[in-house]
Amino acid sequence: MMTRGFGIILHISSLPSPCGIGDLGPAAYQWTDFLSQAGAKYWQVLPLNPTRPEYGNCPYNSPSAFAGNTILLSPEFLVKDGLLQPDDLKNPPVFPEEKSDYLQVTVWKEKLFERAYRNFKQRPDRSGYGKFCAENADWLSDHALFVSLKALFPESWNQWPEELRDREPKALEKFRGRLRDEIERERFLQYLFFEQWFSLKDYCGQKGIEIIGDIPI
């Protein structure tokens, strides 16, 4: 409390990006460099949890307090990691310059994510992914199942079939088998999110920038 410092609030989605919405890619590192050069000590971000279109994509109204918002993934870094090819990012949609069109961005990025997931499945060494899933099993398994079920049953969870609504073990196991690939894909995207996020967080630490987070309502 004896040290004074200043910072700036800027959510990840407000960063410049050729991909329709600010993300965890190169611009986030450039922003960190700017804060460091300006003598700032803090960077405040809004919640990084998933958003939903029915709630206006508000980061304060999220279906998960643990998961990351995969729309903030950087396709440029997926190319760098070899999960996408440079040609995959050519001819993107014409995105608005002043605002983020979440629906347009989501449709485009989902296609890229599907391609990245298929490429990832061909890799012989996935030990980092396995470690992530094991360390986060207390929330990741249920989250991935919920997301997969939500795609199948878009209405509110309390209107789902009774056996799913009430989490009957046999019903959950049945749908875990039926939605195995969809569940694995969501786990993979969460793995990517936290890889990119912690990489950025570590870089901020190296530059002397402390991140002030926030939590969803």
Side-chain angles (χ1 to χ4, degrees), residues 149 153 155-172 174-175:
L149 287 171
F153 304 105
E155 61 271 20
S156 176
W157 66 269
N158 57 12
Q159 298 177 25
W160 287 1
E162 184 176 339
E163 65 274 16
L164 291 176
R165 182 200 66 192
D166 296 342
R167 292 183 55 82
E168 294 182 10
K170 287 185 178 180
L172 295 181
K174 172 186 174 182
F175 277 90

Side-chain angles (χ1 to χ4, degrees), residues 86-108:
D87 286 349
D88 293 332
L89 304 190
K90 288 185 176 180
N91 302 316
V94 179
F95 296 114
E97 293 185 3
E98 300 298 328
K99 296 183 179 180
S100 293
D101 185 330
Y102 276 75
L103 177 59
Q104 188 182 33
V105 170
T106 300
V107 170
W108 184 62

Side-chain angles (χ1 to χ4, degrees), residues 72-147:
L72 301 179
L73 280 168
S74 166
E76 294 167 287
F77 280 180
L78 298 185
V79 171
K80 183 179 178 181
D81 292 340
L83 292 169
L84 294 175
Q85 296 300 315
D87 286 349
D88 293 332
L89 304 190
K90 288 185 176 180
N91 302 316
V94 179
F95 296 114
E97 293 185 3
E98 300 298 328
K99 296 183 179 180
S100 293
D101 185 330
Y102 276 75
L103 177 59
Q104 188 182 33
V105 170
T106 300
V107 170
W108 184 62
K109 281 196 171 184
E110 283 295 323
K111 294 177 181 177
L112 298 179
F113 294 161
E114 182 65 26
R115 194 168 300 169
Y117 174 56
R118 298 302 167 189
N119 291 334
F120 178 75
K121 289 177 70 175
Q122 304 304 315
R123 290 187 169 180
D125 182 10
R126 294 186 286 170
S127 56
Y129 168 69
K131 181 181 179 182
F132 170 80
C133 290
E135 291 177 346
N136 295 277
D138 56 337
W139 65 267
L140 183 60
S141 296
D142 273 351
H143 168 74
L145 176 60
F146 178 83
V147 169

Side-chain angles (χ1 to χ4, degrees), residues 11-29 43 70-77 109 196 200:
H11 191 41
I12 304 290
S13 62
S14 295
L15 290 164
S17 171
C19 300
I21 191 172
D23 56 40
L24 298 166
Y29 289 78
W43 175 10
T70 56
I71 199 175
L72 301 179
L73 280 168
S74 166
E76 294 167 287
F77 280 180
K109 281 196 171 184
Q196 291 192 6
L200 174 60

Side-chain angles (χ1 to χ4, degrees), residues 6-11 31 34-35 38 40-45 210 212:
F6 79 93
I8 298 176
I9 180 171
L10 177 79
H11 191 41
W31 170 252
F34 165 76
L35 290 175
K41 185 175 177 60
Y42 305 106
W43 175 10
Q44 183 173 351
V45 296
E210 297 182 29
I212 300 175

